[in-house]
């Protein structure tokens, strides 16, 4: 569908507003710009590490951006996440020092960020949305403020998030957002992707969907897939997607996984039942479906959002059969109907309805209350459905989530039971108001959401396949002995045959044989799936499980807040869980700012400096070094920093060491922190070769270098050219770089200097001879 199908006649300021509303994964915007500018920042390197562990995906993204200007820059790092994803780690690097993020209450994090920025400390602030907790709760768009990015220097940013991977009709799809929305295509100087899939239920199929990033499968068993992909100078034109199928022969089985860090800590479990797929229940002979489709054509529905909304609408209408009936209501500030009442779903009417949408204009605000009210007044027969396609961003009428959702439920319940439409909601856009859309779908319906740029086919087909099907009802998990478990939460809202029903909870003490039973009603038949599993005293096989449970608990509290309003106890518990299990919520932010920095953290034996920043209450800092030195730190008032120089013995062996810091405040309270550093004295070894020893001016020569593992950067230099970086190539099992010989270089023999530098700034070199003739 071309955007021209819906004429756009809005003022230009709306486009600017939209560019702020949408995001890519991993775009760095200069501080005063609303679009990326490769003349200021370029993406030198990007590493994506993906692990799917029994339905939970963990994605780590490491990126290195280069500042091409002669001035330090401030940047805004923007990205959008998949549905139900949560940030679980965030860090920025200052030179060779990794500054990990810590979770703070949202307002306090912003205050410290501004203080640190003013003092020229290197902070990074990561939060949901841009303004407040209310906006953040509606958004899967995240932003990270990064400052400073040094002149002609680089900035490394690390993000980790995790999210559940849904199963529909035995199939799952994982999408890592890389494709741009309104921003231009990024090119990664070097892209590295590693992928691992682990499943307790056996796998029947696995496919890599992205043509731009063809994953190479390295290992495959019924319960494991490992793959990778490496490339240089690759445009990020599409999202990275994989699709896999669980074996239907394993249906009606229950798998349990556990995690417990220490005997004194609570244990965590996840129970996942693969529900047997079924055929849709036949309708009564005279029963037909009536679908009232609400299509949002307000100004917020532009570009890729509009494409996806129309695709969903067209697919839904074309699935209807002549006995069915339908109507289409377009809504923005007003509601415009295709017909006064639903029409028969014959091909002629469907084509006219699609033309009606194509010929409409996007304009105005969004009065969702008026649209829902108009849909409920439509006369329906047979099996009624209300299908809403929108981003849920109400700007007129009732706009507060809880108020609007409560109003709709009250109006919906005024209808006789048989006339209450099943409320199906298909959310579109990175900024979709998911809390509201989920509350609307709770009225005997279901909810799905797609980002502005992700592939729509899998989610849309799974969504539409549910029309006419009954979910598995009254699903519940029974645990024995019940007293050993608490705070158990379902991880899915609605479960259909062919999907996975899972729960996460805590257990109190280890047991050799706990019983797990899932019960419900599938179609007209009772469902019962049981298994037994041990609850170990310690288990470290699934480190993401505690965060999965904590996220489920926080989601339950956020739903309570959306429904009943904020209360201090709920907010305090959300903040506490967010800090303890390290993930971002609407009430917290990740702040990466140094509290105690040892510079440099990786050093050669010699005379480094220990620098510590503390809050104002600290009056004394003493450092205890691992080689016996005890050194008090001196307070530098002008820099608000504690500092001491120390001598690292020349015979100190290479390896990691820890410095213990003892801090005392003005009330006499003592605090202890531990910081680590690494002694690295071995010079990197370099062995280099050229693909040819004689070249003509203007030719390109490929350099392959074998370098010891402690090297951080590898550079090649030739007289008359700029230096180039060499990068690891797994196929060649060497670091590879292509060097262009200047076209005006005079004939003769030249030396190419290959330099390898480690993070302690030890430098190893190698020269190779090149003849130009």
């Amino acid at each position: 569908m071309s955007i021209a199908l819906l004429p756009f006649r809005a003022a230009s300021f709306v486009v600017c507003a939209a560019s702020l509303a949408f995001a890519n994964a991993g775009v760095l915007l200069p501080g005063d710009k609303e679009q990326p500018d490769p003349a200021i920042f370029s993406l030198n390197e990007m590493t994506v590490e993906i692990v799917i562990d029994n339905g939970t995906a963990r994605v780590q993204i490491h990126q290195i951006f280069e500042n091409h200007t002669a001035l330090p820059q401030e940047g805004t790092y923007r990205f959008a996440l998949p549905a139900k994803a949560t940030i679980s780690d965030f860090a920025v690097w200052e030179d060779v020092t990794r500054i990990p993020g810590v979770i703070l209450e949202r307002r306090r994090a912003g205050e410290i960020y501004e203080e640190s920025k003013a003092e020229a400390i290197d902070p990074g602030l990561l939060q949901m949305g841009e303004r407040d907790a209310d906006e953040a709760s509606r958004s899967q768009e995240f932003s990270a403020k990064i400052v400073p990015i040094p002149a002609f220097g680089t900035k490394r940013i690390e993000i980790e998030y995790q999210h559940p991977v849904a199963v529909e009709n035995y199939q799952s799809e994982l999408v890592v957002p890389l494709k741009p929305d309104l921003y231009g295509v990024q090119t990664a100087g070097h892209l590295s992707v590693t992928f691992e899939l682990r499943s307790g239920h056996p796998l029947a199929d696995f496919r890599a969907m992205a043509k731009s990033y063809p994953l190479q499968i390295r290992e495959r068993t019924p319960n494991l897939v490992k793959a990778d992909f490496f490339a240089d100078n690759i445009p990020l034109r599409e999202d990275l997607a994989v699709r896999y199928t669980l074996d239907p022969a394993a249906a009606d089985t229950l798998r349990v996984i556990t995690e417990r860090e220490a005997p004194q800590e609570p244990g965590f479990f996840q129970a996942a039942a693969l529900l047997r797929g079924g055929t849709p229940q036949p309708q009564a002979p005279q029963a037909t479906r009536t679908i009232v489709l609400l299509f949002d054509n307000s100004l917020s529905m532009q570009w890729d959002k509009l494409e996806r909304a129309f695709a969903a609408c067209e697919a839904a209408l074309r699935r209807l059969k002549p006995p069915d009936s339908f109507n289409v209501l377009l809504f923005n500030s007003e509601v415009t109907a295709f017909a006064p009442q639903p029409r028969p779903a014959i091909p002629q009417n469907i084509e006219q309805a699609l033309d009606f949408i194509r010929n409409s204009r996007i304009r105005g605000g969004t009065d969702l209350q008026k649209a829902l009210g108009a849909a409920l007044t439509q006369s329906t027969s047979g099996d009624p459905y209300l299908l809403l396609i929108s981003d849920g961003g109400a700007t007129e009428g009732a706009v507060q989530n809880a108020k609007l959702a409560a109003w709709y439920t009250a109006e919906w319940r005024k209808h006789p039971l048989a006339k209450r439409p099943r409320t199906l909601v298909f959310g579109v856009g990175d900024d979709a108001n998911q809390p509201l859309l989920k509350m609307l779908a709770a009225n005997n319906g279901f909810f799905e959401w797609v980002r502005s740029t992700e592939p729509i086919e899998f989610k849309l087909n799974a969504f539409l396949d549910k029309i006419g099907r009954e979910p598995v009802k009254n699903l519940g998990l029974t645990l024995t002995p019940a007293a050993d478990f608490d705070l158990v939460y379902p991880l899915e809202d609605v479960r259909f045959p062919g999907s996975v029903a899972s729960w996460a909870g805590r257990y109190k003490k280890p047991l050799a044989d706990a019983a797990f039973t899932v019960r419900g009603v599938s179609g007209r038949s009772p469902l019962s799936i049981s298994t037994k599993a041990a609850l170990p005293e310690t288990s470290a096989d699934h480190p993401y499980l505690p965060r999965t449970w904590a996220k489920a608990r926080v989601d339950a509290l956020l739903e309570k807040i959306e429904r009943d309003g904020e209360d201090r106890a709920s907010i305090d518990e959300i903040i506490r869980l967010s800090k303890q299990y390290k993930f971002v919520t609407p009430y917290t932010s990740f702040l990466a700012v140094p509290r105690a920095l040892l510079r440099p953290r990786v050093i050669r034996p010699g005379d480094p400096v220990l620098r510590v920043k503390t809050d104002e209450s600290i009056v004394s800092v003493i450092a205890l070094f691992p080689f016996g030195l005890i050194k008090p730190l001196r307070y530098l008032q002008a820099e608000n920093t504690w500092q001491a120089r120390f001598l690292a013995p020349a015979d100190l062996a290479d390896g990691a060491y820890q410095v213990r810091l003892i801090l005392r405040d003005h009330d006499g309270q003592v605090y202890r922190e531990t910081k680590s550093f690494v002694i690295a004295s071995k010079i990197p070894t370099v062995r280099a070769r050229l693909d040819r020893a004689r070249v003509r001016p203007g030719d390109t020569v490929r350099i392959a270098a074998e370098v010891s593992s402690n090297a951080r950067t590898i550079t090649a230099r030739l007289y008359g050219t700029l230096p180039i970086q060499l990068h690891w190539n797994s196929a060649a099992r060497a670091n590879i770089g292509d060097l262009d010989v200047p076209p005006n270089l005079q004939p003769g023999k030249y030396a190419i200097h290959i330099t390898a530098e480690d993070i302690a700034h030890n430098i190893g070199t190698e020269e190779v001879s090149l003849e130009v003739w």
Side-chain angles (χ1 to χ4, degrees), residues 52-55 165 167 170-172 195-207 217 219-226 242-250 255 274:
I52 304 177
D53 180 8
N54 288 276
V165 182
V167 177
Y170 299 116
Q171 287 192 332
S172 291
F195 175 86
E196 182 175 338
L197 167 62
R198 301 194 294 264
S199 175
H201 294 100
L203 302 166
D205 186 34
F206 174 83
R207 284 180 288 164
I217 296 177
E219 182 178 354
R220 183 167 177 176
T221 72
N223 300 93
L224 176 69
V225 174
K226 290 185 177 182
V242 300
R243 189 176 297 172
Y244 58 94
T245 305
L246 301 181
D247 190 348
R255 298 286 186 266
L274 180 58

Side-chain angles (χ1 to χ4, degrees), residues 239-299:
D239 291 339
L240 174 62
V242 300
R243 189 176 297 172
Y244 58 94
T245 305
L246 301 181
D247 190 348
D252 289 346
T253 58
L254 184 60
R255 298 286 186 266
V256 177
I257 60 175
T258 60
E259 175 77 12
R260 194 181 196 190
E261 293 184 359
Q264 67 271 21
E265 300 292 332
F268 299 88
F269 76 89
Q270 177 178 308
L274 180 58
L275 305 177
R276 184 172 300 280
T279 57
Q281 294 296 316
Q283 302 286 345
Q286 301 301 319
T288 60
R289 289 179 297 180
T290 300
I291 293 184
V292 178
L293 194 152
L294 283 170
F295 187 91
D296 186 346
N297 69 336
S298 64
L299 282 174

Side-chain angles (χ1 to χ4, degrees), residues 739-767:
L739 190 148
D740 295 326
V741 178
N744 57 352
L745 191 64
Q746 295 297 317
K749 289 188 176 181
Y750 295 86
I752 298 178
H753 300 269
I754 295 93
T755 301
E757 183 178 357
D758 67 14
I759 52 182
H761 303 294
N762 297 302
I763 296 175
T765 62
E766 169 86 341
E767 287 188 9

Side-chain angles (χ1 to χ4, degrees), residues 78-111:
R78 292 186 180 274
F79 52 97
L81 296 177
K84 297 185 178 181
T86 181
I87 295 289
S88 52
D89 198 11
F90 170 64
V92 296
W93 285 70
E94 182 185 3
D95 195 15
V96 297
T97 302
R98 184 181 189 270
I99 305 174
V102 294
I103 294 287
L104 295 176
E105 191 270 333
R106 186 182 179 95
R107 183 180 301 172
R108 179 58 180 151
E111 292 172 355

Side-chain angles (χ1 to χ4, degrees), residues 502-530:
S502 54
W503 292 261
R506 301 192 307 186
Y507 66 88
K508 301 174 184 177
K509 60 183 181 181
L511 290 173
D513 208 21
F516 298 77
T517 302
V518 173
R519 292 188 176 90
V521 177
S522 181
R524 299 185 180 91
S525 303
L527 170 73
S528 181
I529 309 172
S530 299

Side-chain angles (χ1 to χ4, degrees), residues 154 628 678:
T154 60
V678 175

